Amino acid sequence: MNAQKLLFVFAIVAGTILCTISCKPKNAGTSVKGDSGVKGYVAPGQYDEYYNFVSGGFSGQMSVYGLPSGRLFRVIPVFSVDPEKGWGYSEETKPMLNTSHGFVPWDDLHHVELSQTTGEINGKWAFANANNTPRLARIDLKTFKTAEIIELPNSGGNHSSPFGTENSEYIVAGTRFSVPADYANGDVPIDTYKENFKGHISFVSVNKESGQMDIAFQLKTPGVNFDLARCGRDKSHGWFFFSCYNTEQANTLLEVNASQKDKDFIMAVNWKKAEEYLKAGKGVKQKVKYAHNVWDEHTHTATSSIKNEVTVLDVSELKDICYMIPCPKSPHGCDVDPTGEYIVGSGKLAAVIPVFSFDKLQKAIANKAFDGDFQGIPVVKYEEALYGEVKKPGLGPLHTEFDGKGFAYTSFFVSSEVVKWNIKDLAVVDRVPTFYSVGHLCIPGGNTRKPSPKYLIAYNKITKDRYLPTGPELTQSAQLFDISGEKMQMILDFPTIGEPHYAQAAPADLIRNNGQLKIYPIGENKHPRVAKGEGESKVIREGNQVHVYMTAVRSHFAPDNIEGVRMGDDVYFHVTNLEQDWDVPHGFGIKGANNAELLIMPGETTTLKWNPDRVGIFPMYCTDFCSALHQEMQGYVRVSPAGSKTALSFHTGKSAKTPEKPVQ
Ligand code: RUQ
Ligand code: CUA
């Protein structure tokens, strides 16, 4: 090798090394310029302008951030157990995670939907989907607690969910995987997809006052993958739009086989028509099995009941409920603008963004401007529903939000950017890079009639070199943009819990003043094992069950000394928090417990089940720093051998009390 050649090789090697060390894409680290960071600054002690409810992805939870600060306020446990809050560990919360498959301690939460009245966020509830074992959850925004979970039969991979109508009449849930219905024979060869696999879309009604959910009906559709959905609004209220892919009906190697066709569909659903058919008795009651879990605010206890019937409308037979609109290349996002006229389809592999017109669609349906049908569902001619195409917008369009000022913002996964375009003339007006690979976007109210066009948040799948590394699993992130001017400007970048999918945001005052600050009077506690004062605290034996009616108040438990527990006992600590101020929880933990701590909210009773595994003295203590003497808030349980004669007794302070008629 001559010297020149050697130098050349050296240059390449050095270049490669340098690049692996510092090859940040241009813009990285320099995108917050001048005073833009200041715009996201919320001074200590100041409130944020918005609540941001963010899906926790594979953590199964929902997190609550402030905007514009990006401060994390709370992680609300929804579909996954959360030992920090005792969620899924206390006896009262276990039924919330019950399903027809039994207790399921985890799920994958993708989308968040805030309840609405006349197309505007009303601050009452947030809905969320479980993707893996199909369920819908309702979170009460007065308590920031999951108040209800309903399982969805006939579904697999509940991805196209939960999207709501303008008055939260319904929250819909479309199945990602079409599968043989639960009420049909499921023991069929997988390659009989075309004949035996069906899609089901659930329309779940929401009670206006209580929020209680109920599966009003399901639509049975040909087998495809439903991906996302949006309701019609204003003039298109009464319609729903679902993107679907795999209209090839492939059952293997979908990355190739589900990308064959030039166009898949957006399925337009006339749900008012479906309601008419339902009233006319056209629904078929089918035998299924699903769990419905409801939290009772007065007993602070969930009950799970198994239901076994659902009403199904077959849209291949009941004409004029569904219409297919051709949409280029595996549409993912399907978004409707604030006026309800424009429906935006984002084909993951498409080079254009088609924008459909609701008025043109109606005309096309009236004139039967169809191109045949897809297994009984009329296919509307593409041009007859199309308003126009956004040309060369970027690579890999996913999701679109709106600012209410005539602009749409679309995320591009592959080219890693947000693109702002004009809805009327379909011209691209601005684009900014995201770091990296953005999925969903959120503008507060961005899916309503009245967006507030100040901020846009991009939720990124990959963060690569943006943060200090933490091993192979790097954090995902959110990036905040100021969109009040003509140009989008990045002002903040913050890590998230789990993989953030969709998120929504609501004005701070709407949530803050929804009645959430209150006293929790102990008198309203209807828990069957409550102790409403220390005088009511006691320990009783029922066979091999020992029930401890325990109270907690700053800074002691009553009782705090318990004897007479024996090996083989099931011990239930029913801890009542006697505090009535809304912000003084207590905690409870005992050595060797096979579950978690309890966090007991003021005025509530919560139960920990404990099976002592050995003879001896077991300390217990308050886990939540509640006062200067929090560390003194502790006690002991004595465990004796099975068959021991040690009488059951308990006390706090001097006098040991023995239950009047100890049952041995
Ligand atoms: S989607 S992978 Cu919400 Cu873009 Cu789930
Ligand atoms: Cu009660 Cu710490």
Side-chain angles (χ1 to χ4, degrees):
M1 206 184 273
N2 63 32
Q4 212 184 357
K5 230 179 176 180
L6 196 76
L7 210 73
F8 178 64
V9 171
F10 176 72
I12 290 184
V13 172
T16 315
I17 292 172
L18 259 182
C19 198
T20 37
I21 295 172
S22 67
C23 220
K24 279 197 179 187
K26 275 174 197 152
N27 296 315
T30 58
S31 37
V32 177
K33 293 195 197 84
D35 67 346
S36 57
V38 175
K39 287 186 180 166
Y41 182 70
V42 178
Q46 298 297 304
Y47 281 150
D48 276 283
E49 294 168 57
Y50 295 93
Y51 281 93
N52 193 195
F53 298 93
V54 184
S55 65
F58 42 70
S59 79
Q61 320 296 40
M62 185 186 291
S63 42
V64 185
Y65 292 84
L67 294 177
S69 72
R71 296 182 293 194
L72 173 65
F73 298 148
R74 185 170 171 76
V75 174
I76 304 171
V78 185
F79 296 115
S80 294
V81 294
D82 183 351
E84 180 195 348
K85 287 131 194 148
W87 183 254
Y89 292 97
S90 71
E91 295 306 299
E92 288 81 358
T93 56
K94 278 178 187 171
M96 288 302 283
L97 301 180
N98 190 41
T99 72
S100 64
H101 304 274
F103 181 80
V104 174
W106 167 85
D107 219 298
D108 182 16
L109 189 162
H110 278 222
H111 306 124
V112 174
E113 175 83 12
L114 297 176
S115 55
Q116 297 186 7
T117 308
T118 356
E120 288 182 54
I121 296 168
N122 62 21
K124 288 186 180 174
W125 308 297
F127 298 90
N129 66 325
N131 211 27
N132 183 50
T133 302
R135 285 168 285 170
L136 280 183
R138 179 173 56 85
I139 289 118
D140 187 337
L141 294 180
K142 279 187 191 162
T143 54
F144 284 67
K145 254 194 188 158
T146 303
E148 189 178 6
I149 293 181
I150 194 165
E151 193 181 356
L152 304 164
N154 303 319
S155 296
N158 174 38
H159 191 266
S160 187
S161 162
F163 299 100
T165 53
E166 284 214 296
N167 300 295
S168 299
E169 292 98 336
Y170 297 107
I171 298 297
V172 306
T175 190
R176 166 187 175 185
F177 299 100
S178 283
V179 283
D182 297 355
Y183 53 85
N185 175 24
D187 182 17
V188 296
I190 297 172
D191 62 9
T192 61
Y193 188 107
K194 287 194 169 80
E195 302 95 82
N196 291 322
F197 289 40
K198 298 291 168 202
H200 282 82
I201 293 178
S202 309
F203 277 72
V204 176
S205 60
V206 178
N207 182 292
K208 274 202 167 46
E209 271 74 50
S210 67
Q212 181 126 348
M213 301 188 287
D214 187 27
I215 305 178
F217 59 92
Q218 288 190 322
L219 300 179
K220 177 182 172 189
T221 73
V224 292
N225 288 40
F226 289 103
D227 211 3
L228 288 149
R230 276 293 189 223
C231 69
R233 57 181 57 97
D234 208 344
K235 66 156 121 171
S236 50
H237 179 65
W239 287 75
F240 226 109
F241 305 94
F242 294 83
S243 59
C244 41
Y245 63 105
N246 192 24
T247 53
E248 294 85 350
Q249 303 189 304
N251 58 281
T252 181
L253 211 63
L254 261 64
E255 64 171 325
V256 179
N257 294 333
S259 308
Q260 298 297 309
K261 289 196 190 166
D262 207 39
K263 293 196 175 67
D264 291 280
F265 299 121
I266 283 177
M267 188 171 88
V269 176
N270 183 343
W271 57 262
K272 293 266 184 193
K273 196 79 206 173
E275 282 181 335
E276 282 172 27
Y277 280 126
L278 193 71
K279 255 203 203 131
K282 299 288 186 200
V284 180
K285 292 203 190 319
Q286 299 286 9
K287 288 267 159 286
V288 292
K289 204 176 153 197
Y290 64 96
H292 185 197
N293 313 329
V294 182
W295 182 258
D296 181 326
E297 272 187 46
H298 305 287
T299 57
H300 337 120
T301 304
T303 43
S304 176
S305 39
I306 296 289
K307 305 229 172 146
N308 40 38
E309 196 177 75
V310 74
T311 305
V312 178
L313 296 167
D314 186 338
V315 303
S316 302
E317 279 166 19
L318 301 169
K319 303 295 176 192
D320 51 353
I321 297 180
C322 290
Y323 301 90
M324 295 297 200
I325 311 170
C327 186
K329 288 285 178 197
S330 306
H332 185 61
C334 167
D335 298 288
V336 179
D337 88 308
T339 68
E341 164 64 3
Y342 302 105
I343 304 134
V344 179
S346 298
K348 292 183 291 246
L349 308 170
V352 297
I353 302 177
V355 180
F356 300 100
S357 151
F358 180 72
D359 288 344
K360 280 188 78 178
L361 174 70
Q362 294 306 304
K363 233 183 254 161
I365 291 171
N367 298 337
K368 298 207 167 10
F370 301 142
D371 234 347
D373 72 319
F374 178 76
Q375 303 192 343
I377 304 178
V379 177
V380 177
K381 286 194 173 126
Y382 180 68
E383 290 75 19
E384 296 300 316
L386 187 73
Y387 171 73
E389 292 171 341
V390 184
K391 306 280 188 203
K392 298 215 179 115
L395 295 176
L398 290 187
H399 301 282
T400 301
E401 292 267 300
F402 303 90
D403 67 4
K405 297 191 296 187
F407 295 100
Y409 300 74
T410 302
S411 59
F412 288 82
F413 179 81
V414 178
S415 53
S416 205
E417 58 187 335
V418 180
V419 174
K420 176 180 175 182
W421 49 277
N422 184 308
I423 304 175
K424 277 275 143 63
D425 63 15
L426 306 178
V428 170
V429 296
D430 190 24
R431 56 177 76 232
V432 283
T434 60
F435 305 92
Y436 305 90
S437 304
V438 57
H440 280 273
L441 300 175
C442 162
I443 290 176
N447 74 319
T448 68
R449 286 193 194 187
K450 290 218 176 78
S452 43
K454 189 165 180 191
Y455 301 114
L456 172 138
I457 311 101
Y459 298 93
N460 301 310
K461 309 288 186 192
I462 296 168
T463 50
K464 251 187 185 161
D465 48 15
R466 297 292 288 185
Y467 301 101
L468 292 173
T470 51
E473 173 73 349
L474 301 175
T475 185
Q476 283 87 15
S477 82
Q479 288 181 311
L480 183 72
F481 295 87
D482 177 354
I483 57 164
S484 57
E486 241 169 72
K487 296 273 170 205
M488 295 177 272
Q489 188 183 29
M490 187 192 296
I491 55 178
L492 187 75
D493 185 324
F494 58 96
T496 55
I497 305 280
E499 181 192 345
H501 290 263
Y502 192 39
Q504 291 196 350
D509 287 344
L510 181 67
I511 306 295
R512 202 158 69 86
N513 302 328
N514 69 359
Q516 65 169 289
L517 309 188
K518 58 175 187 181
I519 298 291
Y520 294 79
I522 194 76
E524 286 173 19
N525 182 325
K526 300 255 155 48
H527 193 287
R529 306 245 188 206
V530 64
K532 293 193 178 173
E534 278 182 26
E536 294 182 13
S537 67
K538 61 184 174 185
V539 181
I540 59 169
R541 175 178 284 284
E542 294 169 3
N544 75 329
Q545 294 187 353
V546 174
H547 292 275
V548 181
Y549 292 64
M550 183 184 268
T551 60
V553 75
R554 281 163 288 181
S555 297
H556 60 273
F557 293 111
D560 65 3
N561 280 211
I562 299 166
E563 304 193 17
V565 170
R566 302 189 293 233
M567 286 295 293
D569 282 346
D570 291 333
V571 183
Y572 293 87
F573 296 96
H574 309 285
V575 187
T576 300
N577 181 350
L578 295 178
E579 312 279 353
Q580 300 196 32
D581 278 346
W582 64 284
D583 62 349
V584 191
H586 288 284
F588 178 83
I590 184 159
K591 184 183 171 185
N594 290 142
N595 38 28
E597 68 164 351
L598 295 177
L599 264 195
I600 313 116
M601 296 304 123
E604 291 197 359
T605 305
T606 306
T607 303
L608 189 84
K609 186 183 174 195
W610 176 59
N611 295 99
D613 71 320
R614 64 194 70 172
V615 169
I617 301 292
F618 287 79
M620 56 191 181
Y621 71 99
C622 173
T623 53
D624 190 348
F625 216 112
C626 51
S627 73
L629 297 173
H630 153 80
Q631 198 69 344
E632 279 68 20
M633 195 162 173
Q634 62 161 54
Y636 304 94
V637 178
R638 172 183 168 192
V639 176
S640 305
S644 153
K645 288 277 168 280
T646 307
L648 199 61
S649 69
F650 59 93
H651 65 100
T652 311
K654 281 267 154 60
S655 51
K657 272 201 243 164
T658 308
E660 276 154 28
K661 282 186 216 126
V663 194
Q664 292 294 324

